C-alpha cells in the first residue's frame, strides 16, 4: 500500500511528528495573534472572538501543510524509490485480533454473588459524590472548567501530532498526483489535498473552536465586562 510505504519512509528519514509539532506551534501563535488583532479591531465578545481565531488559525494550518508538501515534495520524490503501486499487498499490519471476554469460572460467579454489598457501597459512593459536588465553591468549579478546556486543547493538538506521519504521507501523494509526477502515478486515484486535511484534522479543530467559545462565554458570565481570559483571571484574583 503506497501510503504505508510513504509513511514508513517519513518516519525513518524526516521526523514527521517533530515537524508537525512546529507547525502546530506556529498555528497556535497565529491564533493568538488573530485574537489580539480582532480585539483591537473592536470585537470584544470572547465567545465570538475565540472561535473565529481558531478558524483563522485552521486556515493558517492548512496553508502551512500545503507549503510543507510543496517544498518537500520535489526533494522527497527525488530520493524516494517509487514502489509498485499496482500490487495488492496489504501492509497495514492489522492481524484481525480482537480481545475476548473470558466467561465462566468461580471468579465471575463470586463477583455476581454479592449484589447487596455492592449496591450499598454504590449508594454510599453516590451520597459522597453528591456531598462533594455541593462542597465545591464557585471558584473551584471555574478551575475545573479551565482544566477541562486545557485538556481538550491538548488532546486535539496531541492527536494532530500523533497522526502526522500518515497525514503527511497522504499529502505528499496528493500533491504528487496533482503535480508533475502525475504520469508516473497514473494508476492511483487522484484526490485533492484539501479533502485529506479536512478529513483528518477538521474534527479536532472544531472541538477546539467549540471549547474556546464555551470558555469565552463562561469567562464573560463569571467576570462581566472582561474581554480576555487575562481579565477573567484578574477578576478571580481580586475576589
Amino acid at each position: 500500500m503506497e501510503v504505508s510505504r510513504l509513511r514508513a519512509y517519513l518516519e525513518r528519514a524526516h521526523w514527521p511528528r517533530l515537524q508537525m509539532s512546529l507547525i502546530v506551534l506556529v498555528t497556535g501563535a497565529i491564533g493568538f495573534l488573530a485574537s489580539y488583532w480582532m480585539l483591537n479591531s473592536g470585537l470584544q465578545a470572547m465567545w465570538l472572538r475565540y472561535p473565529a481565531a481558531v478558524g483563522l488559525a485552521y486556515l493558517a494550518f492548512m496553508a502551512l501543510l500545503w507549503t510543507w508538501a510543496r517544498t518537500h515534495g520535489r526533494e522527497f520524490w527525488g530520493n524516494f524509490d517509487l514502489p509498485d503501486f499496482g500490487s495488492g499487498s496489504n501492509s497495514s499490519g492489522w492481524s484481525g485480533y480482537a480481545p475476548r471476554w473470558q466467561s465462566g469460572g468461580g471468579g465471575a460467579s463470586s463477583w455476581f454473588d454479592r449484589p447487596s454489598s455492592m449496591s450499598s457501597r454504590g449508594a454510599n459512593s453516590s451520597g459522597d459524590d453528591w456531598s462533594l459536588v455541593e462542597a465545591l465553591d464557585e471558584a473551584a468549579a471555574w478551575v475545573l472548567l479551565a482544566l477541562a478546556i486545557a485538556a481538550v486543547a491538548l488532546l486535539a493538538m496531541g492527536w494532530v501530532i500523533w497522526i502526522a506521519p500518515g497525514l503527511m504521507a497522504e499529502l505528499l501523494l496528493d500533491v504528487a498526483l496533482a503535480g508533475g509526477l502525475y504520469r508516473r502515478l497514473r494508476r492511483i486515484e487522484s484526490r485533492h489535498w484539501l479533502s485529506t486535511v479536512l478529513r483528518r484534522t477538521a474534527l479536532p479543530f472544531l472541538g477546539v473552536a467549540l471549547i474556546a467559545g464555551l470558555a469565552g462565554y463562561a469567562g464573560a458570565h463569571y467576570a462581566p465586562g472582561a474581554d480576555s481570559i487575562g481579565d477573567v483571571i484578574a477578576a478571580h484574583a481580586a475576589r
Side-chain angles (χ1 to χ4, degrees):
M1 189 175 182
E2 61 275 10
V3 174
S4 299
R5 295 194 62 180
L6 292 174
R7 171 177 176 166
Y9 178 81
L10 284 175
E11 289 181 321
R12 184 173 63 251
H14 288 276
W15 297 78
R17 289 191 177 94
L18 177 60
Q19 297 186 53
M20 182 62 75
S21 299
L22 297 176
I23 292 175
V24 169
L25 287 176
V26 174
T27 300
I30 292 174
F32 280 112
L33 291 176
S35 178
Y36 180 76
W37 172 74
M38 286 185 287
L39 176 61
N40 289 335
S41 298
L43 184 57
Q44 297 182 348
M46 291 185 290
W47 67 275
L48 284 176
R49 189 175 77 250
Y50 288 164
V54 174
L56 292 176
Y58 189 47
L59 293 177
F61 174 77
M62 291 188 289
L64 289 170
L65 283 181
W66 180 85
T67 303
W68 178 89
R70 293 291 294 180
T71 55
H72 289 76
R74 189 176 301 275
E75 174 187 358
F76 175 80
W77 290 108
N79 296 328
F80 184 70
D81 184 17
L82 283 173
D84 183 9
F85 291 151
S87 63
S89 60
N90 181 12
S91 61
S92 60
W94 171 250
S95 61
Y97 170 77
R100 295 182 298 173
W101 292 104
Q102 296 290 339
S103 59
S109 61
S110 62
W111 176 264
F112 289 104
D113 285 342
R114 296 178 293 176
S116 59
S117 61
M118 294 299 295
S119 61
S120 61
R121 186 179 303 172
N124 293 333
S125 177
S126 62
D128 294 339
D129 292 341
W130 181 253
S131 300
L132 179 61
V133 171
E134 290 181 337
L136 288 174
D137 58 4
E138 187 178 5
W142 287 107
V143 170
L144 291 177
L145 177 61
L147 292 176
I149 293 170
V152 170
L154 289 176
L155 284 175
M157 291 187 295
W159 168 255
V160 172
I161 293 172
W162 177 255
I163 66 171
L167 174 60
M168 289 178 164
E170 290 187 46
L171 278 177
L172 286 173
L173 186 60
D174 294 338
V175 171
L177 289 171
L181 291 175
Y182 179 78
R183 297 187 199 76
R184 300 175 64 185
L185 305 175
R186 190 181 299 276
R187 285 177 291 178
I188 305 177
E189 180 183 358
S190 178
R191 181 174 55 195
H192 198 276
W193 69 272
L194 188 58
S195 66
T196 298
V197 175
L198 290 174
R199 177 172 52 87
R200 302 292 296 271
T201 63
L203 285 180
F205 273 89
L206 180 60
V208 173
L210 291 176
I211 205 68
L214 176 61
Y217 178 81
H221 179 75
Y222 179 73
D227 54 16
S228 68
I229 292 297
D231 293 340
V232 176
I233 296 174
H236 173 70
R239 293 191 176 184

